[in-house]
Amino acid sequence: MSTEQSQGPAIETMLLEQRRYQPDPAFVQQANAKAQIYQSDPDEFWTEEARRRVSWFQPFTQLKEWNAPFAKWYLGGRLNVCYNCIDRHVESGQGDKVAFHWEGEPADERVDITFADLQRRVVRFANGLKKLGVGKGTPVAIYMGMTPELPVAMLACTRLGAPHTVVFGGFSSDSLSSRMNDMGCEVLITQDEGWRRGKRVPLMQTSAEAMAASPGVRHAVVLRRTEAEVPMTEGRDVWWHDLCADVSDEPESCPCEPMDSEDVLFLMYTSGTTAKPKGIVHTTAGYLVGTATTHHYVFDIKPDTVYWCAADVGWITGHSYIVYGPLCNGTTSVLYEGTPDFPDKDRWWEIVERYRVSVLYTAPTAIRSHMKWGPEYARKHDLSSLKLLGSVGEPINPEAWVWYREHIGGDRTPVVDTWWQTETGMIMITPLPGVTTLKPGSATQPFPTVDAAVFSEKGEPVPPGGGGYLVLRQPWPAMLRGIHGDPERYQETYWSKYEGLYFVGDGARVDEEGDFWLLGRIDDVMNVAGHRISTIEVESALVDHQKVAEAAACGRNDPQTGQAVVAYVTLKGGQEGSPEMMQELRQHVARKIGKFAAPTNIVFTPELPKTRSGKIMRRLLRDVAEKRQLGDTTTLADPAVVEELSSRGRELAASEEA
Ligand code: WTA
């Protein structure tokens, strides 16, 4: 366990961090959140928010049922997420309001999609899906780029009551097929190709490879985006436009399926400490209430807010804070297909200026890229519309926080550092703008009613100033309901460390004023550019290569991506490592998992350091990777391996500095 290791430098920085930002009185005046919100009674709060923010076909009769670790919320209620995100806004006269300002990566493509447009698109596509036999309960996979059709596909599924899993478009065919097989997906929605930094991403090609290993997938629906030639299998694969050519877009032709509060809305796969990704289960009502409520207060959403969450819809951030929360609140959003540096490094700021964006939500890794490129790109544009900035995905270092506020926020805007997870579904620890005194590097306070604490190894609350394990002590509406098909793993992963408490897997510290400072993952999960990747997955991918005998992976701090993957590899039959071999292994990992998981560095070693019980000593590997002094090695089986490794570590350091 590396808590001590990873806490050291983090705490030092934070203790030095004395800057404070009081809320601006003008902001306080108009803020959605008032200080009293922290005094709310949890049950009253979530009852009221559910009635205020969501339209019910049938009202719930019981707020929650908690049989740890199994929660149910809004029992007896019936509702439909698509109805809440679209139809009711059109019915109440908001049909002409823009839901998405969509911008394609090729700079000449822009479409404003109103709520009424969105309704027509969703209804038409849902009618198309019905022709393929999709209905309530049919599991559907979605593997797309950031086209408008991605949220359309998700919403069409929710309209029909079909649970979806969106697989990030950077994943490989293996990753896609293992997710589809785990969920039992019958239909896959994809596109010919995607655009990324001016290059084409072969989504249908990868989908075809994945379907070869997923015989349960009966049909693929393929959106035409780049017009590339792609392999279509007769009888199985159908073009989106053909499927929708002869169907109605009248809402009455495809009514919203009334769903039970606890019906599954979607699965989102996330890395765990064993190779198989976990299908995190989110259900209908609690998730929608939780995301809409947090979106309203944390981002101070007003009817005229132009909101931009610059994440990818393929991750939980995009589900909760591009699609479901904002649409439920009837918010106008920006949806951008490409990367921040295409065609140039001011693309984001051009977008902020064009749409007069008022709220921008992104990740520290992106902020650090902009820092590296320099503030001159932001300076070229009028960013005065910005009112609020948000950060998510990993701890934000105070330098990046202050840079973000000064160079993007004009030294005016609050910055909300929001902590949460795929599993929590909604933001859990965050400042509330207009209420909270901000501290760069701290996510500050649990959201009202959220019961977070920092525990010692023994399960006692750690006094102010000390580091420990973050836990959540009370259920919350958007919490995961389990791991798909594996209740034991659910119990084991999240609920076994401390009886009846949710074990987060992050280290944290609470300061004298009760503010939380997140210290990163304490399990074998790396956080690379805000993406959670487990060491085991990378190791399995490496060992899958025919020349690899054994492999260990770990994360190393990286100024740009938060963490970078470093791998230690023992080759079979005394083979020597070489730069070519390193390249080959990198490509192998990229093929098996996705490019973002490919190790930035590979250290070839004749043996891996192991404890007497045979466990790989990741702490030691991390030390080598971090070019630090080696820690205590007395539990090592073979001390010679350490010598070897530390000299390899020195070589690695030298080669990098060269
Ligand atoms: C990390 C993303 C510090 C953390 C929404 C968590 C953060 C993991 C923050 C979840 C933050 C996310 N400060 N760390 N503001 N936000 N994390 O499931 O380690 O992709 O457990 O969800 O990201 O990543 P996930």
Side-chain angles (χ1 to χ4, degrees):
M1 198 70 47
S2 71
T3 15
E4 292 84 353
Q5 303 295 325
S6 57
Q7 274 169 18
I11 288 177
E12 274 167 45
T13 335
M14 290 183 296
L15 287 178
L16 292 175
E17 186 46 63
Q18 297 295 344
R19 285 167 285 196
R20 301 287 179 270
Y21 296 82
Q22 305 292 340
D24 176 339
F27 197 106
V28 176
Q29 269 292 314
Q30 56 83 65
N32 288 350
K34 307 290 172 210
Q36 308 86 281
I37 195 172
Y38 286 104
Q39 264 75 63
S40 311
D41 170 78
D43 286 2
E44 276 171 27
F45 181 83
W46 288 113
T47 302
E48 229 169 83
E49 294 295 335
R51 290 187 182 139
R52 183 182 308 169
R53 271 173 233 299
V54 167
S55 302
W56 300 81
F57 292 156
Q58 192 177 301
F60 54 94
T61 49
Q62 186 187 338
L63 176 67
K64 66 171 189 269
E65 185 188 283
W66 179 226
N67 292 317
F70 298 101
K72 290 183 179 166
W73 283 80
Y74 304 114
L75 290 85
R78 291 187 92 70
L79 72 165
N80 180 283
V81 167
C82 183
Y83 179 78
N84 275 280
C85 289
I86 303 177
D87 295 62
R88 63 173 180 152
H89 302 313
V90 178
E91 286 167 15
S92 71
Q94 300 286 300
D96 292 338
K97 184 173 179 178
V98 172
F100 290 116
H101 293 293
W102 180 76
E103 195 156 315
E105 193 183 79
D108 50 359
E109 282 179 277
R110 283 170 214 143
V111 191
D112 284 348
I113 300 164
T114 64
F115 279 93
D117 296 334
L118 193 59
Q119 185 180 43
R120 280 188 291 273
R121 286 177 181 233
V122 168
V123 167
R124 187 179 292 138
F125 189 59
N127 275 326
L129 285 178
K130 279 202 282 192
K131 291 198 291 185
L132 300 180
V134 175
K136 188 172 175 176
T138 312
V140 174
I142 302 175
Y143 181 66
M144 299 178 82
M146 291 278 284
T147 53
E149 287 81 0
L150 171 50
V152 166
M154 295 162 75
L155 290 156
C157 287
T158 67
R159 190 174 193 92
L160 299 172
H164 61 67
T165 189
V166 180
V167 178
F168 171 60
F171 274 115
S172 67
S173 60
D174 280 3
S175 303
L176 175 58
S177 73
S178 67
R179 285 159 173 76
M180 292 197 292
N181 292 341
D182 186 72
M183 189 177 180
C185 292
E186 295 177 27
V187 170
L188 166 63
I189 303 166
T190 186
Q191 61 189 66
D192 50 5
E193 295 177 322
W195 283 118
R196 195 176 161 75
R197 197 166 287 123
K199 292 212 184 99
R200 292 154 179 271
V201 184
L203 294 167
M204 180 52 189
Q205 177 63 45
T206 308
S207 293
E209 287 162 21
M211 283 187 283
S214 299
V217 177
R218 294 184 283 108
H219 291 290
V221 184
V222 187
L223 173 77
R224 187 166 272 165
R225 172 73 186 106
T226 65
E227 317 250 323
E229 282 281 321
V230 292
M232 298 287 282
T233 296
E234 182 77 40
R236 185 192 66 188
D237 304 340
V238 41
W239 288 105
W240 179 302
H241 55 269
D242 288 339
L243 184 69
C244 296
D246 57 352
V247 297
S248 168
D249 62 3
E250 292 297 324
E252 300 73 38
S253 69
C254 185
C256 295
E257 185 72 34
M259 303 298 283
D260 186 89
S261 288
E262 282 299 327
D263 278 335
V264 174
L265 183 63
F266 66 83
L267 303 189
M268 170 59 70
Y269 285 84
T270 190
S271 287
T273 44
T274 62
K276 203 169 153 238
K278 303 176 292 222
I280 301 300
V281 181
H282 282 292
T283 57
T284 303
Y287 175 80
L288 191 64
V289 175
T291 53
T293 303
T294 46
H295 180 252
H296 174 80
Y297 291 112
V298 175
F299 300 110
D300 199 50
I301 298 300
K302 303 288 195 278
D304 63 352
T305 298
V306 179
Y307 165 87
W308 183 16
C309 168
D312 194 290
V313 169
W315 304 106
I316 192 69
T317 305
H319 281 52
S320 299
Y321 298 109
I322 296 178
V323 180
Y324 295 119
L327 290 177
C328 186
N329 288 335
T331 306
T332 296
S333 291
V334 169
L335 189 65
Y336 169 54
E337 182 181 39
T339 57
D341 54 348
F342 192 87
D344 204 352
K345 300 181 176 67
D346 65 339
R347 183 67 186 270
W348 274 19
W349 316 126
E350 188 191 306
I351 292 175
V352 168
E353 179 173 17
R354 176 157 41 248
Y355 301 106
R356 308 290 302 151
V357 170
S358 39
V359 178
L360 176 67
Y361 189 31
T362 184
T365 182
I367 299 165
R368 288 190 299 262
S369 293
H370 288 292
M371 277 173 84
K372 195 182 77 183
W373 298 332
E376 55 273 23
Y377 294 98
R379 234 177 269 138
K380 282 202 247 172
H381 296 277
D382 175 8
L383 307 183
S384 61
S385 56
L386 288 169
K387 220 185 84 168
L388 178 76
L389 301 174
S391 170
V392 59
E394 51 176 314
I396 179 165
N397 38 317
E399 294 71 26
W401 193 106
V402 171
W403 189 94
Y404 192 28
R405 176 175 158 115
E406 286 180 355
H407 293 286
I408 307 305
D411 210 9
R412 296 169 280 113
T413 60
V415 174
V416 291
D417 173 9
T418 64
W419 177 88
W420 58 294
Q421 303 180 294
T422 301
E423 293 87 340
T424 68
M426 64 185 228
I427 293 169
M428 298 295 280
I429 303 181
T430 178
L432 288 181
V435 178
T436 314
T437 296
L438 305 171
K439 302 177 180 178
S442 169
T444 70
Q445 296 284 316
F447 187 79
T449 78
V450 168
D451 185 5
V454 174
F455 270 35
S456 69
E457 184 67 42
K458 287 203 200 93
E460 286 144 8
V462 172
Y469 305 116
L470 184 63
V471 297
L472 299 168
R473 294 187 286 202
Q474 291 293 330
W476 61 99
M479 72 187 275
L480 75 169
R481 298 302 194 261
I483 296 174
H484 177 66
D486 204 344
E488 275 149 40
R489 191 170 173 204
Y490 174 58
Q491 172 80 46
E492 163 69 29
T493 310
Y494 304 108
W495 304 92
S496 63
K497 174 103 179 159
Y498 308 117
E499 174 89 41
L501 302 185
Y502 176 83
F503 182 65
V504 165
D506 283 359
R509 179 176 72 92
V510 181
D511 68 18
E512 307 287 339
E513 291 162 318
D515 284 319
F516 285 68
W517 301 78
L518 276 302
L519 303 174
R521 302 291 301 169
I522 46 101
D523 53 19
D524 292 329
V525 176
M526 302 168 285
N527 192 326
V528 180
H531 303 157
R532 275 162 75 183
I533 310 165
S534 83
T535 53
I536 296 274
E537 271 177 283
V538 176
E539 287 160 9
S540 310
L542 285 166
V543 173
D544 177 80
H545 189 282
Q546 50 164 355
K547 290 188 186 148
V548 174
E550 225 179 354
C554 68
R556 182 196 61 189
N557 290 327
D558 182 280
Q560 194 85 27
T561 54
Q563 283 195 305
V565 182
V566 177
Y568 296 84
V569 169
T570 306
L571 294 174
K572 278 184 191 157
Q575 296 193 62
E576 281 284 309
S578 63
E580 293 73 42
M581 190 66 211
M582 189 183 310
Q583 205 40 37
E584 197 176 315
L585 292 180
R586 269 198 199 129
Q587 281 165 4
H588 192 71
V589 175
R591 266 196 307 277
K592 298 300 287 183
I593 307 175
K595 259 201 196 115
F596 61 93
T600 48
N601 250 298
I602 297 179
V603 181
F604 293 102
T605 166
E607 225 174 313
L608 296 173
K610 291 186 188 150
T611 62
R612 285 170 216 280
S613 67
K615 271 195 184 153
I616 293 173
M617 296 183 72
R618 288 209 178 70
R619 178 173 57 80
L620 181 82
L621 296 178
R622 270 192 291 258
D623 282 348
V624 175
E626 297 285 4
K627 307 165 203 161
R628 272 196 301 245
Q629 282 288 304
L630 294 178
D632 177 18
T633 58
T634 49
T635 47
L636 256 187
D638 177 6
V641 177
V642 183
E643 210 14 72
E644 175 65 28
L645 257 183
S646 56
S647 77
R648 296 287 169 140
R650 280 193 295 273
E651 277 170 31
L652 171 73
S655 72
E656 266 180 28
E657 274 147 25

